Amino acid sequence: ALGTTTRAPAGKVPSKRFPGATRRVRTRCGVAPGKQDGCTASRRDALRLGALLAALSQIGSQAACGKDAATAVAQVEAEANSVLRAATSKEVAAIADGLSVVNKGKAPALLRLVFHDAGTYERSTGRGGSNGSVRFELDRPESRGLKRGLNVVEAVKKRIRAKSKVDLSYADLIVVLGAWAVKACGGPEIEVLLGRRDSSVADAENMIPDENLPVVGIKDAFSRMGLDTRDLVALSGSHALGGKGFGDPLTFDNEYYKTILKKPWLNKKDEMAQMIGIPSDRVLPGKPCPRTLETGSPFV
């Protein structure tokens, strides 16, 4: 959960926290060892950056692409009060059985759900984060439609408990299903640690960034969570899923970034173009410049 401890697995991979899209990389909490040689807006990196959404719900402070993974993990450990653990063999089998009945068409709803549960995190106080509180927040305007994802969580939780006698927290299952959604749509595999505790009450209101905020407001909201501009761009890439006008609604690819850089909504004669994305997508593109996100970002 945001505000909990992560650890990096052994093994050599070319990227740090974002596994490469050209091959499967098993990670714990989206953290992988090694150094990143800069982030480009290629298909590979869009997938890697998109995986940040699943990682968001598992670490307390986000290191931007290019920072040392060990430093990121150390920061998280220093801030955390609880320790996540690897799933037992019984839990792994139970989770696999539960996931076997989930339809790929549910992936967009599940990916949105994991952000809304984790996105209440406030780094300065350690409050909020991935704690299952989203189930008490469904009547809020920003939670419209989240019930679809939560219904899947409820069904998987019930199946796992009935068949395997394993009782996972809502917080853990929301993260597990968020990671599953990334993989199911063509993204990298993310091995999730368990041990999150469920909250018995809703998190504070007005913590999820409003989609109508100006770019400065959105960046401030992400900064509250310990996230920077590159993290904001990466997480926005999850909008590739769900039918917002960015290609196949069930494919994790680079169409989101390619589309928003073209700014199709500026063509007022094209009615369909006016329906692409949401307001927060439209404020991301900045001045035309080099492709790398490390320097001279074409975004915000």
Side-chain angles (χ1 to χ4, degrees):
L2 284 169
T4 55
T5 306
T6 66
R7 59 185 180 185
K12 296 181 178 179
V13 292
S15 63
K16 177 188 62 56
R17 288 182 302 125
F18 314 116
T22 56
R23 60 176 180 150
R24 287 186 177 179
V25 180
R26 295 181 65 82
T27 69
R28 293 195 182 277
C29 297
V31 180
K35 293 185 177 181
Q36 178 79 354
D37 58 355
C39 298
T40 69
S42 66
R43 178 180 184 277
R44 178 195 64 197
D45 293 313
L47 290 170
R48 182 169 64 238
L49 290 172
L52 175 59
L53 186 57
L56 167 65
S57 59
Q58 301 174 69
I59 64 178
S61 62
Q62 288 288 14
C65 179
K67 292 183 182 177
D68 183 80
T71 300
V73 173
Q75 289 175 339
V76 175
E77 291 176 341
E79 297 168 2
N81 294 316
S82 60
V83 179
L84 297 184
R85 59 174 178 80
T88 65
S89 57
K90 182 178 181 180
E91 288 169 332
V92 170
I95 290 171
D97 178 72
L99 294 178
S100 68
V101 299
V102 182
N103 187 290
K104 180 181 177 180
K106 304 295 184 180
L110 291 168
L111 204 51
R112 181 166 175 253
L113 182 69
V114 74
F115 174 75
H116 277 255
D117 196 36
T120 57
Y121 180 63
E122 186 174 54
R123 184 175 181 180
S124 63
T125 63
R127 297 173 182 170
S130 195
N131 56 16
S133 67
V134 69
R135 65 194 195 280
F136 304 118
E137 301 158 8
L138 299 179
D139 60 342
R140 297 177 179 177
E142 68 271 18
S143 299
R144 180 169 44 89
L146 290 183
K147 183 63 176 176
R148 290 193 293 270
L150 191 59
N151 284 340
V152 178
V153 175
E154 295 274 12
V156 172
K157 184 177 176 67
K158 182 177 180 180
R159 178 183 175 90
I160 289 176
R161 183 191 296 157
K163 293 193 64 177
S164 307
K165 309 304 178 184
V166 171
D167 193 15
L168 297 178
S169 68
Y170 282 96
D172 275 342
L173 273 178
I174 288 171
V175 176
V176 166
L177 283 159
W180 171 87
V182 171
K183 180 184 176 184
C185 293
E189 181 174 354
I190 301 168
E191 186 177 353
V192 177
L193 296 180
L194 304 179
R196 298 164 189 79
R197 296 179 181 179
D198 283 335
S199 173
S200 59
V201 296
D203 281 340
E205 295 189 53
N206 303 315
M207 300 301 282
I208 299 296
D210 189 308
E211 66 181 42
N212 294 301
L213 285 173
V215 68
V216 173
I218 297 174
K219 291 169 73 172
D220 286 346
F222 275 72
S223 177
R224 185 206 74 229
M225 292 183 263
L227 305 178
D228 64 16
T229 299
R230 283 171 289 184
D231 297 327
L232 163 58
V233 173
L235 287 165
S236 298
S238 67
H239 292 171
L241 302 185
K244 296 182 177 68
F246 303 113
D248 187 334
L250 296 178
T251 298
F252 226 110
D253 59 18
N254 202 33
E255 284 304 310
Y256 172 82
Y257 299 105
K258 290 164 65 176
T259 300
I260 65 171
L261 286 174
K262 294 177 182 177
K263 304 179 182 179
W265 52 84
L266 294 180
N267 182 3
K268 303 302 182 182
K269 296 181 180 180
D270 188 341
E271 293 184 6
M272 293 300 294
Q274 307 309 308
M275 302 174 66
I276 294 176
I278 59 178
S280 62
D281 297 320
R282 300 182 180 190
V283 299
L284 286 185
K287 299 177 181 179
C289 48
R291 290 177 53 192
T292 66
L293 300 184
E294 188 67 34
T295 57
S297 170
F299 301 101
V300 290

